[in-house]
């Protein structure tokens, strides 16, 4: 029984889950949900995800949504398979969870509107974008410090806390044209270069065919 | 034993999330007050505990954490066999655990951004002598109504958000819900019968009453 992921391979939130599957060596099938025609807001899809967002998954009888919840589930269920994404002890897991919260509450909360404006909005709010860039600068300063002392955000090993950043980081480095915010920071740059060299990431980029 | 310490402010919803978990578990702890008015959270030594300069920060022996929802999860796991169980009844079942974490993500991404704006406009601004922007209140209440419609449907099927028992998913909502109950936004809860019952249930818990000891 192969897990079905409902979403688009090029969309950021589904990419979190796809990356988790690839890191863990979990077989999957992508069921395309056409965001251009707002398929995710239609009644049939709302049964899978009541807020009308991608991704959702179906694995036999189990149906889940929220990319971070889905990733945690597979990282836990397949703890002994593929890359260890959550750490071996309760304490290490707590630190991974802490940096996953940071990704959601500090990084994504700024990067998402930045990407929506710069990449997807023809006449975007210039003042808002400048404000968001200042906020992102501050967040990346904290990351620079953390990554000066640790190879990855939660410590010596790559974890879900790093993985959840990758779709947003890709936008920063590419379509959003903000790569200099990364390359100007020695440790953040090193972190991104190491992560994006991972085979799972390369496979995802192949699938996405940008 | 070094013990549990919370570095925060007893009126802050994020700090209260952690205090709730500790009270539910009947754990001894020390609350080290961080003076938000004085900007203590933006200076050392607090910044070494949370480089983002937000309360709360947490310490349990050698383990140091920040981010309230990471802290509550740690408490729920580390002290699983003590006090209220904040995890699903069958916590070793990854699927049941996942259902709870969906609810936690929904609270963080759908409920909290909107509900917190409503607390800011109607509670915090009043407290510091600024004027509530009613246009923003109307806009955010419309968004919150949609989220609560999803909750109403969910709570028709289950007693609590993640199933039949009280879990972290419900707990994470409580501090902001408590503040909203003191504002006209309360009507969005009372208009929805199951949401209304759920609000009454979770706010009457002894731990929920304990955190109200400190108020604006």
């Amino acid at each position: 029984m192969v897990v079905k992921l409902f979403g688009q391979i090029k969309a950021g939130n589904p990419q979190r889950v796809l990356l988790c599957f690839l890191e863990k060596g979990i077989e999957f099938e992508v069921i395309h949900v056409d965001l251009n025609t707002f398929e995710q807001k239609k009644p049939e899809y709302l049964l899978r995800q009541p807020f009308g967002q991608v991704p959702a998954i179906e694995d036999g009888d189990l149906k889940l949504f929220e990319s971070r919840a889905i990733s945690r589930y597979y990282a836990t269920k397949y703890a002994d398979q593929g890359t260890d994404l959550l750490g071996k002890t309760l304490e290490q897991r707590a630190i991974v969870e802490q940096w996953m919260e940071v990704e959601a509450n500090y990084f994504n909360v700024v990067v998402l509107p930045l990407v929506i404006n710069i990449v997807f909005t023809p006449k975007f709010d210039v003042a808002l974008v400048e404000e968001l860039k200042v906020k992102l600068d501050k967040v990346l300063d904290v990351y620079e410090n953390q990554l000066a002392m640790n190879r990855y955000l939660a410590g010596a090993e790559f974890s879900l806390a790093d993985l959840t950043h990758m779709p947003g980081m890709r936008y920063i480095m590419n379509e959003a044209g903000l790569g200099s915010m990364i390359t100007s920071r020695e440790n953040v740059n090193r972190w991104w270069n190491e992560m994006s060299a991972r085979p799972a990431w390369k496979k995802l980029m192949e699938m996405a065919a940008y | 034993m070094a013990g549990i310490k919370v570095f925060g402010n007893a009126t802050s919803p994020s700090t209260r999330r952690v205090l709730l978990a500790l009270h539910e578990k009947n754990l001894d702890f020390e609350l080290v007050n961080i003076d938000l008015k004085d900007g203590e959270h933006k200076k050392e030594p607090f910044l070494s505990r949370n480089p983002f300069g937000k309360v709360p920060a947490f310490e349990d022996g050698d383990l140091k954490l920040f981010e309230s929802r990471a802290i509550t999860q740690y408490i729920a796991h580390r002290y699983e066999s003590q006090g209220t169980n904040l995890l699903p009844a069958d916590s070793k079942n990854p699927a049941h655990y996942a259902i709870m974490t969906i609810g936690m993500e929904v609270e963080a991404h759908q409920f909290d951004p909107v509900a917190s704006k409503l607390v800011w406009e109607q509670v915090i601004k009043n407290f510091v002598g600024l004027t509530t922007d009613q246009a923003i209140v109307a806009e955010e209440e419309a968004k919150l109504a949609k989220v609560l419609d999803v909750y109403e449907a969910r709570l028709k099927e289950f007693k609590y958000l993640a199933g039949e028992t009280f879990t972290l998913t419900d707990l994470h909502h409580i501090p902001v819900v408590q503040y909203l109950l003191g504002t006209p936004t309360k009507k969005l809860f009372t208009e929805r019968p199951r949401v209304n019952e759920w609000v009454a249930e979770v706010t009457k818990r002894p731990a929920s009453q304990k955190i109200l000891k400190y108020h604006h």
Side-chain angles (χ1 to χ4, degrees), chain A residues 2-191:
Chain A
V2 165
V3 54
K4 297 187 171 105
L5 179 137
F6 296 82
Q8 266 183 319
I9 299 176
K10 280 194 164 100
N13 294 335
Q15 281 184 351
R16 262 187 210 105
V17 177
L18 291 170
L19 201 47
C20 182
F21 289 159
L22 291 165
E23 286 284 352
K24 301 300 274 177
I26 296 167
E27 265 193 80
F28 60 89
E29 188 192 336
V30 178
I31 313 283
H32 186 82
V33 175
D34 194 348
L35 304 182
N36 293 323
T37 58
F38 297 100
E39 192 183 336
Q40 76 278 23
K41 305 290 181 189
K42 300 206 173 111
E44 312 83 71
Y45 186 79
L46 287 177
L47 293 173
R48 295 191 176 281
Q49 214 284 21
F51 301 96
Q53 292 165 333
V54 289
I57 64 104
E58 189 179 306
D59 193 346
D61 286 332
L62 180 65
K63 296 182 164 84
L64 300 174
F65 61 93
E66 282 294 332
S67 64
R68 296 172 190 84
I70 298 167
S71 305
R72 270 190 193 94
Y73 168 72
Y74 284 97
T76 307
K77 184 166 185 212
Y78 294 91
D80 297 326
Q81 181 177 312
T83 311
D84 174 16
L85 292 173
L86 287 170
K88 295 262 178 292
T89 65
L90 206 149
E91 287 73 18
Q92 185 52 26
R93 172 141 188 186
I95 297 175
V96 172
E97 292 287 353
Q98 174 188 282
W99 287 98
M100 281 179 73
E101 289 294 315
V102 168
E103 183 271 329
N105 297 329
Y106 291 97
F107 182 82
N108 194 55
V109 85
V110 175
V111 170
L112 183 62
L114 262 174
V115 169
I116 288 174
N117 273 276
I118 297 175
V119 182
F120 294 107
T121 309
K123 285 198 180 120
F124 63 81
D125 184 338
V126 174
L128 174 64
V129 164
E130 285 314 301
E131 203 182 297
L132 290 168
K133 278 156 88 172
V134 168
K135 287 187 177 157
L136 182 56
D137 254 326
K138 293 203 169 107
V139 171
L140 292 176
D141 283 343
V142 176
Y143 281 29
E144 180 65 8
N145 222 51
Q146 177 67 12
L147 294 165
M149 300 181 291
N150 301 280
R151 187 167 173 203
Y152 294 100
L153 286 173
E157 308 287 330
F158 179 80
S159 75
L160 209 50
D162 307 290
L163 184 154
T164 52
H165 284 82
M166 293 180 77
M169 286 291 288
R170 194 206 64 77
Y171 271 115
I172 290 178
M173 298 300 294
N174 293 279
E175 297 92 335
L178 297 172
S180 63
M181 292 180 92
I182 305 304
T183 56
S184 62
R185 291 176 166 86
E186 184 188 330
N187 297 296
V188 175
N189 193 41
R190 167 194 50 84
W191 173 65

Side-chain angles (χ1 to χ4, degrees), chain B residues 30-42:
Chain B
E30 187 192 336
L31 174 60
V32 177
N33 185 54
I34 302 296
D35 193 337
L36 301 180
K37 271 198 264 63
D38 216 39
E40 197 182 341
H41 51 311
K42 303 289 181 194

Side-chain angles (χ1 to χ4, degrees), chain B residues 114-146:
Chain B
V114 177
S116 291
K117 278 202 185 96
L118 286 164
V119 170
W120 169 256
E121 281 300 326
Q122 300 176 102
V123 179
I124 319 264
K125 271 175 122 176
N126 278 346
F127 181 66
V128 299
L130 296 171
T131 320
T132 302
D133 185 335
Q134 292 298 345
I136 294 182
V137 169
E139 202 180 305
E140 297 301 319
E141 279 186 348
K143 291 179 192 166
L144 184 58
K146 291 204 169 104

